[in-house]
Coordinates of all heavy atoms in Angstrom, one line a residue:
M1404 N 85.9 72.6 15.6 CA 85.3 71.5 16.2 C 86.4 70.4 16.4 O 87.3 70.3 15.7 CB 84.2 70.9 15.3 CG 83.0 71.9 15.1 SD 81.7 71.2 14.2 CE 82.3 69.8 13.3
I1405 N 86.1 69.6 17.4 CA 87.0 68.5 17.7 C 86.2 67.2 17.8 O 85.1 67.2 18.4 CB 87.8 68.7 18.9 CG1 88.8 69.9 18.8 CG2 88.6 67.5 19.3 CD1 89.6 70.2 20.0
G1406 N 86.7 66.1 17.2 CA 86.1 64.8 17.3 C 87.0 63.7 16.9 O 88.0 64.1 16.2
V1407 N 86.7 62.6 17.2 CA 87.5 61.4 16.7 C 86.8 60.5 15.7 O 87.4 60.3 14.6 CB 88.1 60.6 17.9 CG1 88.9 59.4 17.5 CG2 88.8 61.5 18.9
D1408 N 85.7 60.0 16.1 CA 85.0 59.1 15.2 C 84.0 59.7 14.3 O 83.1 60.4 14.9 CB 84.3 58.0 16.1 CG 83.8 56.9 15.2 OD1 84.1 56.8 14.0 OD2 82.9 56.1 15.8
G1409 N 84.1 59.5 13.0 CA 83.2 60.2 12.1 C 81.8 59.8 12.2 O 80.9 60.5 11.8
N1410 N 81.5 58.6 12.8 CA 80.1 58.1 13.0 C 79.5 58.7 14.2 O 78.2 58.5 14.4 CB 80.1 56.6 13.0 CG 80.3 56.0 11.6 OD1 79.8 56.5 10.6 ND2 81.2 55.0 11.6
S1411 N 80.2 59.2 15.2 CA 79.6 59.6 16.4 C 79.8 61.1 16.7 O 79.1 62.0 16.3 CB 80.0 58.8 17.5 OG 81.4 58.8 17.7
C1412 N 80.9 61.5 17.3 CA 81.1 62.9 17.8 C 81.2 63.9 16.6 O 80.6 64.9 16.6 CB 82.2 63.0 18.7 SG 83.7 62.3 18.2
I1413 N 81.9 63.5 15.6 CA 82.1 64.4 14.4 C 80.7 64.5 13.7 O 80.3 65.7 13.4 CB 83.2 63.9 13.5 CG1 84.5 64.1 14.2 CG2 83.1 64.7 12.1 CD1 85.7 63.6 13.4
N1414 N 80.0 63.5 13.5 CA 78.7 63.5 12.9 C 77.7 64.4 13.7 O 77.1 65.3 13.1 CB 78.2 62.1 12.8 CG 76.8 61.9 12.1 OD1 76.5 62.7 11.3 ND2 76.1 61.0 12.5
A1415 N 77.6 64.2 15.0 CA 76.7 64.9 15.8 C 77.1 66.4 15.8 O 76.2 67.3 15.8 CB 76.7 64.4 17.2
S1416 N 78.4 66.7 16.0 CA 78.9 68.1 16.0 C 78.6 68.8 14.7 O 78.1 69.9 14.7 CB 80.4 68.2 16.3 OG 80.7 67.6 17.5
A1417 N 78.8 68.2 13.5 CA 78.5 68.7 12.3 C 77.1 69.0 12.1 O 76.7 70.1 11.6 CB 79.0 67.9 11.2
K1418 N 76.2 68.2 12.5 CA 74.8 68.4 12.4 C 74.3 69.6 13.2 O 73.5 70.3 12.8 CB 74.0 67.1 12.8 CG 74.1 66.0 11.8 CD 73.3 64.8 12.3 CE 73.4 63.7 11.3 NZ 72.7 62.4 11.8
G1419 N 74.9 69.6 14.5 CA 74.5 70.7 15.4 C 75.0 72.1 14.8 O 74.3 73.1 14.9
V1420 N 76.2 72.1 14.2 CA 76.7 73.4 13.7 C 75.9 73.8 12.5 O 75.6 75.0 12.3 CB 78.2 73.2 13.3 CG1 78.7 74.4 12.6 CG2 79.0 72.9 14.6
V1421 N 75.5 72.8 11.6 CA 74.6 73.1 10.5 C 73.3 73.7 10.9 O 72.8 74.8 10.4 CB 74.5 71.9 9.6 CG1 73.3 72.1 8.5 CG2 75.8 71.6 8.8
K1422 N 72.8 73.1 12.0 CA 71.5 73.6 12.5 C 71.6 75.0 13.0 O 70.6 75.7 13.0 CB 71.1 72.6 13.6 CG 69.7 72.9 14.2 CD 69.3 71.9 15.2 CE 67.9 72.1 15.7 NZ 67.5 71.1 16.7
C1423 N 72.7 75.4 13.5 CA 72.9 76.8 14.0 C 73.2 77.8 12.8 O 73.4 79.0 13.1 CB 74.1 76.8 15.0 SG 73.8 76.0 16.5
G1424 N 73.2 77.3 11.6 CA 73.4 78.1 10.4 C 74.8 78.4 9.9 O 75.0 79.2 9.1
F1425 N 75.7 77.6 10.4 CA 77.1 77.7 9.9 C 77.4 76.8 8.8 O 76.7 75.8 8.6 CB 78.1 77.4 11.1 CG 78.0 78.5 12.2 CD1 77.2 78.3 13.3 CD2 78.9 79.6 12.0 CE1 77.2 79.3 14.3 CE2 78.9 80.6 13.0 CZ 78.1 80.4 14.1
I1426 N 78.4 77.1 8.0 CA 78.9 76.2 6.9 C 79.9 75.3 7.6 O 80.8 75.7 8.3 CB 79.6 77.0 5.8 CG1 78.5 77.9 5.2 CG2 80.2 76.1 4.8 CD1 79.1 78.9 4.1
V1427 N 79.8 74.0 7.3 CA 80.7 73.0 7.9 C 81.5 72.3 6.7 O 80.9 71.9 5.8 CB 79.9 71.9 8.6 CG1 80.8 70.9 9.2 CG2 79.1 72.6 9.8
S1428 N 82.8 72.2 7.0 CA 83.6 71.3 6.1 C 84.4 70.4 7.0 O 84.9 70.8 8.0 CB 84.4 72.1 5.1 OG 85.2 73.1 5.6
I1429 N 84.5 69.2 6.5 CA 85.3 68.1 7.2 C 86.4 67.7 6.3 O 86.1 67.2 5.2 CB 84.3 67.0 7.6 CG1 83.2 67.5 8.5 CG2 85.1 65.9 8.3 CD1 82.1 66.4 8.8
I1430 N 87.6 67.7 6.9 CA 88.7 67.1 6.1 C 88.8 65.6 6.4 O 89.1 65.2 7.6 CB 90.0 67.8 6.5 CG1 89.8 69.3 6.2 CG2 91.2 67.3 5.8 CD1 90.9 70.2 6.7
L1431 N 88.4 64.8 5.5 CA 88.3 63.4 5.7 C 89.6 62.7 6.2 O 89.5 61.7 6.9 CB 87.7 62.7 4.5 CG 86.2 63.1 4.2 CD1 85.9 62.4 2.9 CD2 85.3 62.7 5.3
S1432 N 90.7 63.2 5.7 CA 92.0 62.6 6.1 C 92.3 62.8 7.6 O 93.2 62.2 8.1 CB 93.1 63.1 5.3 OG 93.3 64.5 5.4
C1433 N 91.6 63.6 8.2 CA 91.7 63.9 9.6 C 90.7 63.3 10.5 O 90.6 63.5 11.7 CB 91.7 65.5 9.9 SG 93.0 66.3 9.0
V1434 N 89.8 62.4 10.0 CA 88.8 61.8 10.7 C 89.1 60.3 10.9 O 89.5 59.6 10.0 CB 87.5 61.9 9.9 CG1 86.4 61.2 10.6 CG2 87.1 63.3 9.7
G1435 N 88.9 59.9 12.2 CA 89.1 58.5 12.5 C 87.7 57.8 12.3 O 86.7 58.4 12.6
V1436 N 87.7 56.6 11.9 CA 86.4 55.9 11.7 C 86.6 54.4 12.2 O 87.5 53.7 11.8 CB 86.0 55.8 10.2 CG1 84.7 55.1 10.0 CG2 85.9 57.3 9.7
S1437 N 85.7 54.0 13.1 CA 85.8 52.7 13.6 C 84.9 51.7 12.8 O 85.2 50.5 12.8 CB 85.3 52.6 15.0 OG 84.0 53.0 15.1
N1438 N 84.0 52.2 12.0 CA 83.1 51.3 11.2 C 83.0 52.0 9.8 O 82.1 52.8 9.6 CB 81.7 51.2 11.9 CG 80.8 50.3 11.1 OD1 80.9 50.1 10.0 ND2 79.8 49.7 11.9
L1439 N 83.9 51.6 8.9 CA 83.8 52.2 7.6 C 82.6 52.1 6.7 O 82.2 53.0 6.1 CB 85.1 51.6 6.8 CG 86.4 52.1 7.2 CD1 87.5 51.4 6.5 CD2 86.5 53.6 7.0
P1440 N 81.9 50.8 6.7 CA 80.7 50.8 5.9 C 79.6 51.8 6.5 O 78.9 52.4 5.7 CB 80.2 49.3 6.1 CG 81.5 48.6 6.4 CD 82.3 49.6 7.2
R1441 N 79.5 51.8 7.8 CA 78.6 52.8 8.4 C 78.9 54.3 8.0 O 78.0 55.1 7.8 CB 78.5 52.6 9.9 CG 77.5 53.5 10.6 CD 77.5 53.2 12.0 NE 76.9 54.3 12.8 CZ 77.1 54.6 14.0 NH1 77.9 53.9 14.8 NH2 76.5 55.6 14.6
F1442 N 80.2 54.5 8.0 CA 80.7 55.9 7.6 C 80.3 56.3 6.2 O 80.1 57.5 6.0 CB 82.2 56.1 7.9 CG 82.7 57.5 7.8 CD1 82.2 58.5 8.6 CD2 83.7 57.8 6.9 CE1 82.6 59.8 8.6 CE2 84.1 59.1 6.8 CZ 83.6 60.1 7.7
E1443 N 80.2 55.4 5.3 CA 79.8 55.7 4.0 C 78.3 56.3 4.0 O 78.1 57.3 3.3 CB 79.9 54.5 3.0 CG 81.3 54.0 2.8 CD 82.2 55.1 2.2 OE1 81.7 55.8 1.2 OE2 83.3 55.3 2.6
K1444 N 77.5 55.7 4.8 CA 76.1 56.3 5.0 C 76.1 57.6 5.7 O 75.4 58.5 5.3 CB 75.2 55.2 5.7 CG 73.8 55.6 5.8 CD 73.1 55.6 4.5 CE 71.7 55.8 4.7 NZ 70.9 56.0 3.4
T1445 N 77.0 57.7 6.7 CA 77.1 58.9 7.4 C 77.5 60.1 6.5 O 76.9 61.2 6.6 CB 78.1 58.8 8.6 OG1 77.7 57.8 9.5 CG2 78.3 60.0 9.3
K1446 N 78.5 59.8 5.6 CA 78.9 60.8 4.7 C 77.8 61.2 3.8 O 77.6 62.5 3.5 CB 80.2 60.3 3.9 CG 81.4 60.2 4.7 CD 82.6 60.0 3.8 CE 82.6 58.8 2.9 NZ 83.8 58.5 2.2
E1447 N 77.0 60.3 3.3 CA 75.9 60.6 2.4 C 74.9 61.6 3.1 O 74.5 62.5 2.6 CB 75.1 59.4 2.0 CG 75.9 58.5 1.0 CD 75.1 57.2 0.7 OE1 73.9 57.1 1.0 OE2 75.8 56.2 0.2
N1448 N 74.6 61.3 4.4 CA 73.7 62.1 5.1 C 74.2 63.5 5.4 O 73.4 64.4 5.3 CB 73.3 61.3 6.5 CG 72.5 60.1 6.3 OD1 71.7 59.9 5.3 ND2 72.6 59.2 7.2
L1449 N 75.5 63.6 5.7 CA 76.1 64.8 6.0 C 76.1 65.7 4.7 O 75.8 66.9 4.7 CB 77.5 64.7 6.5 CG 77.6 64.1 7.9 CD1 79.1 63.9 8.3 CD2 77.0 65.1 8.9
E1450 N 76.4 65.1 3.5 CA 76.4 65.8 2.3 C 74.9 66.4 2.0 O 74.8 67.5 1.5 CB 76.9 65.0 1.1 CG 78.4 64.8 1.2 CD 78.9 63.9 0.1 OE1 78.3 62.9 -0.3 OE2 80.0 64.3 -0.5
K1451 N 73.9 65.6 2.3 CA 72.5 66.0 2.1 C 72.2 67.3 2.9 O 71.4 68.1 2.6 CB 71.6 64.9 2.4 CG 71.5 63.8 1.4 CD 70.6 62.7 1.8 CE 70.7 61.5 0.8 NZ 69.9 60.3 1.3
L1452 N 72.9 67.4 4.1 CA 72.7 68.5 5.0 C 73.5 69.7 4.5 O 73.4 70.8 5.1 CB 73.1 68.2 6.4 CG 72.2 67.2 7.1 CD1 72.7 66.8 8.5 CD2 70.8 67.7 7.3
G1453 N 74.4 69.5 3.5 CA 75.2 70.6 3.0 C 76.6 70.7 3.6 O 77.4 71.6 3.4
V1454 N 77.0 69.6 4.4 CA 78.4 69.6 4.8 C 79.3 69.3 3.7 O 79.1 68.4 2.8 CB 78.5 68.5 5.9 CG1 79.9 68.3 6.4 CG2 77.6 68.8 7.1
I1455 N 80.4 70.1 3.7 CA 81.4 69.9 2.6 C 82.4 68.9 3.1 O 83.0 69.1 4.1 CB 82.1 71.2 2.4 CG1 81.1 72.3 1.9 CG2 83.2 71.1 1.3 CD1 81.6 73.7 2.0
L1456 N 82.6 67.8 2.4 CA 83.6 66.8 2.7 C 84.8 66.9 1.8 O 84.6 66.9 0.5 CB 83.0 65.4 2.6 CG 81.7 65.1 3.4 CD1 81.1 63.8 3.1 CD2 82.1 65.3 4.9
K1457 N 86.0 67.1 2.3 CA 87.2 67.3 1.5 C 88.1 66.1 1.7 O 88.3 65.5 2.7 CB 87.9 68.6 1.9 CG 87.1 69.7 1.6 CD 87.9 71.0 2.0 CE 87.0 72.2 1.7 NZ 87.8 73.4 1.9

């Protein structure tokens, strides 16, 4: 998967991939974020879906 902002394209892509039944892991050092406080909530939501954050 490719994306730049953790709050938009990466977030949406990860949710879509999980919905298709795949395991998703995101390497946080490779993610750009324009709104850090919002990204904290995004990370919580992704972890609830089973996304692995490294």
Side-chain angles (χ1 to χ4, degrees):
M1404 295 184 347
I1405 294 178
V1407 177
D1408 186 13
N1410 288 315
S1411 56
C1412 52
I1413 291 175
N1414 183 29
S1416 296
K1418 288 178 179 177
V1420 173
V1421 167
K1422 186 176 180 179
C1423 289
F1425 291 92
I1426 296 170
V1427 178
S1428 48
I1429 298 173
I1430 301 169
L1431 295 174
S1432 63
C1433 298
V1434 175
V1436 180
S1437 60
N1438 183 333
L1439 287 173
R1441 181 175 164 207
F1442 189 57
E1443 292 304 316
K1444 183 68 175 173
T1445 298
K1446 289 191 302 185
E1447 289 176 19
N1448 291 334
L1449 289 173
E1450 286 180 317
K1451 288 178 186 174
L1452 292 174
V1454 174
I1455 301 163
L1456 303 175
K1457 297 181 177 186

